[in-house]
Amino acid sequence: MTSNVSSPVIPDPIQAGLAAGWNVIDASTLTADRTFDADVAIVGTGAGGGVTAEILTLAGLKVVLIEEGPLKSSRDFKMREADAYPTLYQESAARKTKDKAINILQGRSVGGSTTVNWTSSFRTPPATLAYWQKTFGLHAYSAEALAPWFAMMERRLHIGTWTAPPNENNDLLRRGAVQLGIPVGAILRNVKGCWNLGYCGMGCPTNAKQSMLVTTIPSALSHGATLLARTRADRLQFSGDKVSGLSCVAMDASGLAATGRTIQVRAKHYVVAGGAINSPALLMRSKAPDPNGLLGKRTFLHPTLISAALHDHQVDGFAGAPQTIYSDHFLETQPIDGPIGYKLEAPPLHPLLFASTMSGFGKQHAAMMKEFARTHALLALLRDGFHTDSPGGSIALRNDGSPVLDYPISDFVWDGVRRAMLSMAEIQFAAGARTVYPVHEQAEGYSSWSSARKAIQDLAYTPLKTRVASAHVMGGCIMSDDRKLGIVSSEGRYHNVANLSVHDGSLFPTSIGANPQLSIYGITAKLASGLATELTGKPASPLPTL
């Protein structure tokens, strides 16, 4: 029997743009070296690079975008982890700190991490901004001063309230917290026409997620920008107090090896927006001026802990919008420069990521995987960087020039880890969990809050024994007009270099205590608009409203 119901046609702005003649070069296909000239060269196409590209092209500037990863679109997003992680993430979603103790999830394709993030959108917390003003002299970064920029990007990217009911994974966080009198909130999402599938981390197959891939990048390309995909920015070349060129290498189709072809980009101005870790690394390889030894220092994660819980009913944490409920209770009740606070969220659960994150092995691990559909998970994101005992980490270069993050965890942070594990377990039992599994190599499954509380208090919190991850990387090119405190000014301009800017999360002097994409959007919009005015002598054009 043939159905008369046709499948919906999903418009693909990438394929439509390519057919219309966008200037897109896949460097893996080059048969000769190339040189490109532009008004502005932008390294990176994520939250910072994407916003900057649209604002500058709308101002009439000739822009070249350099992206290490491939250009993919919704037709390539098949909701399969085995396809998504090697293609869309840094180091196949297995990037780790120097000691292998922290797993770091970062995007690596056109759109950067915005292509694969979980859509959670928060403005920079006022307490964080107040700390930046007080400690780093960022007086223009008050909540009131940034509010118009956040509002502009919320309109541009359709960031708003998610009206569908939370999936069971998120609702368990809500129910458990409410049972304990812990306040919760709803997470804003950057989506339009979302199908509520739950596979945001593998690229949106319906183009509902308003990532840079389907918003600012197509806009920039439609206004004449050039995109160089599978192109690794290798070194900036300096001449006096200016950048005179950018040397790039062409990557093969796998993204793992150089083809031998080189690309030179010559521009009047250069914007580094490769994300924390890659942006400092590019500047370090380039031997950018760093008189106070600040480059790559104060690189921050939100060190993230996981607690799993087994229920008697189906949770299906893979289905439905991935993150819609949160609690800032353990941030707001903690002085920002006191014992480390943490944000609670519920992550999506997918088999590969779940299996590689959970502790145990053999029969124990197999038994956990059999209960996958009835498993709930919580995350605690620690707000690092506001105390002398939480200085973050530092970027170094390996022999091949690739970056690695050294991120020691102090006793101060481990204290927060213990408290976060206790908070998550208590909430999970309050939500009706049958068994709670703190994700720690020495932990077991605990069938009561009293037994879990004692065990969690007694666990040894050390690297590798405690599973720590992070999808948020900040700092390494921190901003301050005081050159002893920062290497980039409050206007995003690199100190001591006349034509170089940094526009991404590497600017942040601390972690922010919230999912960072909207912070990067709003702050970059401010910086890019100022840069457009400086380069053209005219006010920046307003962004289109979706």
Side-chain angles (χ1 to χ4, degrees), residues 158-225:
H158 214 265
I159 293 171
T161 304
W162 177 242
T163 58
N167 68 2
E168 180 66 0
N169 196 48
N170 280 269
D171 204 50
L172 284 167
L173 166 57
R174 183 192 64 82
R175 298 201 305 264
V178 168
Q179 183 71 22
L180 296 172
I182 295 171
V184 297
I187 299 176
L188 303 182
R189 306 183 66 220
N190 60 317
V191 295
K192 184 179 182 182
C194 178
W195 290 26
N196 204 21
L197 297 175
Y199 287 72
C200 305
M202 293 160 225
C204 181
T206 67
N207 291 319
K209 177 164 54 176
Q210 300 299 283
S211 67
M212 301 300 93
L213 178 66
V214 299
T215 56
T216 61
I217 299 298
S219 173
L221 292 171
S222 295
H223 286 87

Side-chain angles (χ1 to χ4, degrees), residues 44-46 67-72 77 87-90 106-113 115-116 213:
T45 59
E67 170 57 53
E68 181 182 51
L71 173 61
K72 298 292 183 179
F77 302 149
T87 305
L88 304 176
Y89 285 79
Q90 293 284 347
Q106 283 185 300
R108 184 180 180 258
S109 68
V110 175
S113 293
T115 299
V116 294
L213 178 66

Side-chain angles (χ1 to χ4, degrees), residues 91-139:
E91 300 178 38
S92 298
R95 172 169 271 184
K96 296 183 185 299
T97 50
K98 183 178 180 180
D99 61 0
K100 314 299 184 194
I102 305 176
N103 197 58
I104 301 170
L105 298 176
Q106 283 185 300
R108 184 180 180 258
S109 68
V110 175
S113 293
T114 74
T115 299
V116 294
N117 70 19
W118 299 337
T119 77
S120 302
S121 302
F122 295 90
R123 294 188 180 189
T124 315
T128 297
L129 294 174
Y131 184 87
W132 292 358
Q133 290 178 286
K134 176 183 176 182
T135 308
F136 295 91
L138 295 173
H139 303 299

